Amino acid sequence: MRCIYGLTAVFFLLLVMVGCQTDIAANSVSERLQTGTVGKLFRLTEPVSLDLRHGFSAKNLVSNTLWREIGTIAQGSVLKPVDTVLMVNAGDNYEAYLVVKGNQVVGVYLPVESAFVNATATVNVLLAEVTQ
Amino acid sequence: MIRSITIAIVSLFLMGLSTGCASGPKFAEVSATFPQLSADQGRVYFYRDGGIGGAAVQPDIKLNGKVVGQSVPGRFFYVDCPAGNYEVSCATEAEHKLSLALAPQETKYVRTYIQMGLFVGQVVPELVDKDKAMRSMNDCSYTSR
């Protein structure tokens, strides 16, 4: 009898773990990257704390890192990290690029999934263009 | 009782020592021999820090479903592949994945690490930057695929 209780508990925990996986397709917006504006290089001059929607998390962006504009999506310009990485965790891990509009971070772009994940609150970002 | 605990601790220590001092050439000794990438290719390095935690858990690492190596403490290897989108996966009692986009001539670094599972440790792949990867890979031994 005790064994059955144990197995039931384990089964329940497994179900909870599976339930905690975030469905990327259901929690992001499909976007095609337009690659017409390639080239500008920026330096992040202050650290940025990214707050993404429930179920998504990303490490804070470190200051003094380089980001290259590689195109645009409907939500803004897409910046690919040059000397750092941006990764979003949503159960599994996803490489991500930064999406900015004006001087605000509006979310992240997942290049493999061609999907945009919005930030729960837009964050001001200080980007200094680097002349090449 | 004390004797068996002592034996267990010594075994654990020796196991840790053997994985921590994984034999084989270090990155600095072999990196010069790695081939140049062709114009349309990128490189993905895979490594796992040395340590005794979950040392016996060494699952396959798959790249787009194909086994390219194993997650072994204190070891690294690399895969050259055409630029494109890739999914890295490691499975024990649960499968963990990482998606990454590889550009031509680009090098990416994937660290695998162990996290606690229900019955056995789970191995998670994560993308790391070059500086962090090199700090660890300099202490790892090369495993040819």
Side-chain angles (χ1 to χ4, degrees):
Chain A
M1 195 63 177
R2 252 178 99 181
C3 181
I4 291 171
Y5 284 139
L7 282 171
T8 308
V10 167
F11 184 67
F12 178 73
L13 279 171
L14 281 169
L15 277 180
V16 168
M17 284 172 73
V18 170
C20 288
Q21 302 279 314
T22 301
D23 182 357
I24 284 285
N27 290 282
S28 61
V29 180
S30 183
E31 286 292 342
R32 184 175 289 275
L33 181 68
Q34 305 294 322
T35 53
T37 53
V38 181
K40 281 185 182 173
L41 189 64
F42 297 95
R43 185 179 298 281
L44 189 68
T45 55
E46 283 185 4
V48 172
S49 173
L50 263 180
D51 287 321
L52 300 172
R53 60 191 303 163
H54 179 70
F56 290 79
S57 64
K59 285 179 184 166
N60 292 346
L61 310 182
V62 182
S63 64
N64 220 23
T65 46
L66 293 171
W67 300 76
R68 185 177 296 282
E69 186 177 18
I70 59 159
T72 57
I73 56 173
Q75 292 79 6
S77 299
V78 177
L79 305 182
K80 181 180 177 179
V82 174
D83 55 356
T84 183
V85 294
L86 177 56
M87 192 181 70
V88 167
N89 180 275
D92 288 322
N93 289 324
Y94 303 85
E95 182 179 13
Y97 302 156
L98 202 60
V99 181
V100 297
K101 190 165 193 175
N103 62 347
Q104 292 190 316
V105 175
V106 293
V108 295
Y109 179 70
L110 311 181
V112 175
E113 293 72 21
S114 298
F116 170 76
V117 178
N118 66 293
T120 48
T122 52
V123 189
N124 283 336
V125 63
L126 284 171
L127 290 163
E129 189 173 345
V130 178
T131 48
Q132 299 167 71
Chain B
M1 180 68 175
I2 290 174
R3 203 175 150 195
S4 50
I5 290 172
T6 309
I7 289 170
I9 290 171
V10 169
S11 304
L12 200 67
F13 177 75
L14 286 173
M15 202 168 80
L17 211 60
S18 65
T19 54
C21 302
S23 59
K26 302 293 184 197
F27 183 85
E29 296 164 355
V30 288
S31 58
T33 66
F34 297 163
Q36 292 282 317
L37 287 168
S38 61
D40 63 338
Q41 280 194 317
R43 178 168 292 168
V44 185
Y45 281 101
F46 297 89
Y47 75 93
R48 180 164 151 191
D49 297 306
I52 58 168
V57 182
Q58 300 180 359
D60 288 339
I61 297 175
K62 291 181 182 174
L63 193 62
N64 281 0
K66 184 183 165 197
V67 176
V68 292
Q70 279 184 303
S71 171
V72 180
R75 299 273 181 176
F76 82 93
F77 63 91
Y78 70 88
V79 176
D80 291 343
C81 40
N85 293 335
Y86 289 93
E87 181 183 86
V88 179
S89 59
C90 299
T92 54
E93 63 176 16
E95 187 175 47
H96 291 275
K97 297 174 187 168
L98 160 71
S99 68
L100 61 90
L102 190 66
Q105 297 284 303
E106 187 178 32
T107 300
K108 289 223 152 108
Y109 301 86
V110 175
R111 169 182 177 248
T112 58
Y113 66 92
I114 196 145
Q115 73 175 21
M116 205 168 75
L118 276 179
F119 300 108
V120 66
Q122 300 177 4
V123 173
V124 182
E126 69 168 359
L127 200 59
V128 293
D129 62 61
K130 184 181 178 183
D131 287 348
K132 180 178 178 179
M134 290 312 299
R135 281 197 296 274
S136 293
M137 285 207 309
N138 279 329
D139 294 328
C140 291
S141 298
Y142 174 59
T143 305
S144 59
R145 296 192 301 120

